[in-house]
């Protein structure tokens, strides 16, 4: 519900939109790049970053916006078995119906359940994390980044969460 509220506020309230925009401008800055002094790794980074299926320069703003707006960023890395390249895709917070953690460490996330899509499959889809057993052989893994996460919580919270009541009052 909070995710829906913040998404709606971001879409309809110019102040909410600007708050997220300012955060993204601050985090991303004018230019953002990754390099490595280790030549093979630097080559891979450039290939990954500029691959037509990734286009990371075009995704950075949206990624930062989503993390600030929802408090969570769920990144799927799909591995192409032919050339070993990973392709980046995303899940939204409202698609996640469950997070399974390690039995002895709740901070070690093992898998993420995505609600069933009646048009595709009646069963939920489960994506595993890099910490899950057998992840090295998986075609896709899911990475979860969270901000504003209270201790003991599995999900983060939006930068707008505390402002929603005030933004609603202002819009009236």
């Amino acid at each position: 519900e909070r995710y829906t509220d913040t998404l709606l506020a971001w879409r309809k309230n110019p102040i909410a939109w600007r708050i997220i925009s300012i955060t993204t401008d601050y985090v991303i800055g004018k230019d953002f790049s990754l390099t490595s002094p280790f030549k093979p790794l630097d080559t891979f980074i450039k290939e990954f970053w500029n691959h037509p299926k990734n286009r990371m320069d075009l995704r950075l703003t949206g990624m930062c916006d989503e993390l600030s707006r929802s408090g969570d960023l769920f990144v799927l890395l799909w591995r192409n078995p032919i050339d070993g390249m990973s392709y980046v895709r995303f899940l939204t917070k409202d698609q996640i119906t469950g997070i399974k953690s390690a039995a002895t460490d709740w901070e070690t996330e093992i898998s993420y359940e995505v609600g069933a899509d009646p048009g595709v499959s009646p069963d939920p889809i489960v994506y595993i994390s890099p910490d899950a057993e057998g992840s090295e052989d998986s075609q896709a893994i899911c990475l979860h980044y969270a901000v504003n996460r209270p201790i003991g919580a599995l999900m983060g919270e939006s930068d707008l969460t505390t402002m929603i009541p005030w933004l609603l009052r202002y819009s009236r």
Side-chain angles (χ1 to χ4, degrees):
E1 186 177 322
R2 285 186 198 156
Y3 175 68
T4 304
D5 290 346
T6 56
L7 187 58
L8 185 64
W10 177 78
R11 286 182 173 151
K12 298 200 176 232
N13 188 306
I15 295 171
W17 186 91
R18 188 64 185 135
I19 289 166
I20 297 301
S21 177
I22 289 170
T23 302
T24 297
D25 289 345
Y26 179 76
V27 171
I28 303 296
K30 281 189 343 183
D31 189 29
F32 188 94
S33 61
L34 296 175
T35 60
S36 171
F38 183 59
K39 197 68 172 159
L41 178 58
D42 193 54
T43 300
F44 177 82
I45 290 169
K46 284 181 175 68
E47 288 174 10
F48 170 82
W49 196 264
N50 298 311
H51 195 281
K53 289 192 174 196
N54 289 334
R55 302 180 331 252
M56 294 305 293
D57 283 337
L58 299 176
R59 293 177 184 266
L60 287 179
T61 300
M63 290 168 61
C64 190
D65 281 356
E66 180 65 18
L67 186 60
S68 299
R69 193 174 43 238
S70 73
D72 294 281
L73 185 65
F74 293 94
V75 182
L76 288 175
L77 287 176
W78 291 87
R79 184 172 42 96
N80 182 337
I82 295 171
D83 64 3
M85 181 54 65
S86 293
Y87 304 131
V88 176
R89 299 296 180 261
F90 301 94
L91 296 168
T92 57
K93 185 175 191 167
D94 60 341
Q95 291 176 290
I96 304 297
T97 56
I99 297 176
K100 181 181 175 190
S101 297
T104 57
D105 180 8
W106 69 268
E107 287 187 3
T108 301
E109 297 172 354
I110 302 300
S111 64
Y112 309 91
E113 186 174 291
V114 177
D117 184 350
V120 178
S121 169
D123 300 321
I125 300 168
V126 176
Y127 294 105
I128 61 173
S129 83
D131 293 322
E133 194 173 309
S135 63
E136 61 277 351
D137 297 323
S138 179
Q139 183 183 5
I141 59 166
C142 185
L143 307 171
H144 176 210
Y145 301 98
V147 295
N148 306 324
R149 179 168 36 188
I151 291 177
L154 291 176
M155 297 282 223
E157 292 187 13
S158 170
D159 289 347
L160 298 176
T161 299
T162 59
M163 296 178 222
I164 294 294
W166 299 103
L167 293 170
L168 290 172
R169 283 188 183 124
Y170 177 77
S171 67
R172 289 185 194 140

